[in-house]
Amino acid sequence: MNNSVITAPSILAADFANIVGGLSLIEEARGGWVHMDVMDGHFVPNISFGPKMVRDVRARTDLPLDVHLMVSQPERYTSEFIEAGADYLTVHLESTVHVHRVIQSIRRDGARPGLAIVPSTPVAAAEELLDEIDLLLIMTVNPGFGGQALIPRGIEKVARAVQIRRERGLSFRISVDGGVNHETAPLLREAGVDVLVSGSAFFSAPDPSQYLRDLCGHGGG
Ligand code: DX5
Ligand code: ZN
């Protein structure tokens, strides 16, 4: 059980014509990080935004920017996203052969490297990279779109990652992305998650502050 979960609202679900409004909502609700989903229309079947959005968001908030690259050949873009202001920069294990090299270059360029895995990739496939990363992002939906239901097997993957981290004495954070809401969050906390990404449920919550407190298990009652 993790009692100090970080929340990371995803601006993918914000009004793109009013990103400043979305950021204010995150800040007022005391979100921990701003999650930014970059999609290239190739690695995933959707297109979102690129480094300019990260740069513009960086100018408007002091919250850590948790940038999730869902792009093919991420090595072509990492320096640009770091220059734009990404604090955490996460690449997919499935997106390029030489992920180890990409992770090293992210750290060298001054950001915290993250590694993401899609639902069909087992945690075991990430084992060789776990001592190189600051964040393991376990996707609990197939990437590309917000608003999908969490795939329950993802919860076991969190528990598995916690176990490996303990056995190896490592300290990377474990994040879950996709289908997080007030019903799935308690199960993920129980499994030991550190970071909860939430897009559609956050932006459609009647009371976003209360919603984030619920995600952390501090909802009262
Ligand atoms: C999906 C993205 C997610 C998405 C989560 O490809 O990586 O970050 O915004 O959205 P919800 O919380 O709506 O499932
Ligand atoms: Zn994401």
Side-chain angles (χ1 to χ4, degrees), residues 51 97 100 125 138 140-141 154 176 217:
V97 175
H100 186 276
I138 297 176
T140 39
V141 297
V176 162

Side-chain angles (χ1 to χ4, degrees), residues 185-208:
L187 307 169
L188 294 162
R189 286 201 311 274
E190 190 64 45
V193 76
D194 303 301
V195 182
L196 287 171
V197 175
S198 179
S200 50
F202 173 76
F203 280 99
S204 64
D207 180 348

Side-chain angles (χ1 to χ4, degrees), residues 35 37 68 177:
H35 187 81
D37 288 306
H68 177 192
D177 188 2

Side-chain angles (χ1 to χ4, degrees), residues 162-175:
V162 169
Q163 184 192 358
I164 297 174
R165 182 175 63 184
R166 190 187 319 118
E167 284 167 5
R168 291 178 45 186
L170 298 173
S171 57
F172 59 87
R173 288 190 163 115
I174 300 167
S175 173

Side-chain angles (χ1 to χ4, degrees), residues 10 12 35 37 39 68 70 139 141-148 177-180 197-201:
S10 167
L12 186 67
H35 187 81
D37 288 306
M39 303 179 176
H68 177 192
M70 284 163 276
M139 289 224 60
V141 297
N142 286 298
F145 303 93
Q148 306 178 72
D177 188 2
V180 170
V197 175
S198 179
S200 50

